[in-house]
Amino acid sequence: MEIKVACEYDIVIARSAAKTEAKKLGFTIVDQTRIATAISELARNIVVHGSNGIVRIEAIEKGDCKGLEIWAIDRGPGIENIELALKDGWTSGGGLGIGLGGAKRLMDEFEIQSEVGKGTKVRVVKWMRN
């Protein structure tokens, strides 16, 4: 499923959709909350830094493991220094500076690609524990 993200309300929609999908797959309530929190942070970054973008949520499988893959994609200004952006406390938007790093810690896989002037793509995955 793909959700357009351009305002605060869209963050709530993305969060709810991710939690619903995680519940359908059988994730625990703790992991549902981790996924919803991570997607909230990523969607908020789209609104604050990228103006608009998309969040894509997809159930995935790898062997016997089920998971949830989430992409957060924008065409904003990009991130000049990804390493710095992942450090807790650093912010370019006046927030707490825990968004990207927090999303990384909450999920099992985290990838980020960003190009200044072209935008940012973040991919996160949470695997269901058997």
Side-chain angles (χ1 to χ4, degrees):
M1 110 182 30
E2 190 170 289
I3 300 155
K4 291 181 181 177
V5 178
C7 66
E8 292 282 326
Y9 182 71
D10 297 334
I11 297 168
V12 176
I13 292 170
R15 177 184 175 93
S16 178
K19 194 165 185 178
T20 299
E21 190 63 28
K23 185 176 182 178
K24 276 197 260 180
L25 289 172
F27 278 95
T28 66
I29 188 69
V30 172
D31 278 342
Q32 291 173 38
T33 302
R34 286 181 178 128
I35 292 164
T37 302
I39 202 168
S40 291
E41 295 298 337
L42 297 175
R44 184 169 312 286
N45 280 350
I46 290 173
V47 171
V48 171
H49 302 288
S51 303
N52 63 70
I54 61 163
V55 168
R56 190 174 303 135
I57 304 165
E58 185 177 344
I60 58 172
E61 290 185 25
K62 186 178 188 181
D64 292 340
C65 295
K66 291 181 182 178
L68 200 60
E69 178 182 64
I70 298 162
W71 284 90
I73 303 167
D74 70 58
R75 297 233 179 258
I79 301 170
E80 205 168 305
N81 186 331
I82 291 173
E83 187 177 326
L84 185 61
L86 288 169
K87 287 190 177 186
D88 283 347
W90 185 87
T91 179
S92 64
L96 296 174
I98 57 172
L100 282 177
K104 182 178 181 180
R105 285 188 298 276
L106 289 166
M107 303 297 277
D108 297 319
E109 295 180 23
F110 178 93
E111 298 172 21
I112 185 169
Q113 304 165 359
S114 190
E115 192 173 338
V116 174
K118 294 195 176 180
T120 302
K121 293 180 185 179
V122 179
R123 176 187 169 268
V124 293
V125 175
K126 188 63 154 173
W127 293 104
M128 196 161 38
R129 307 288 178 230
N130 294 332

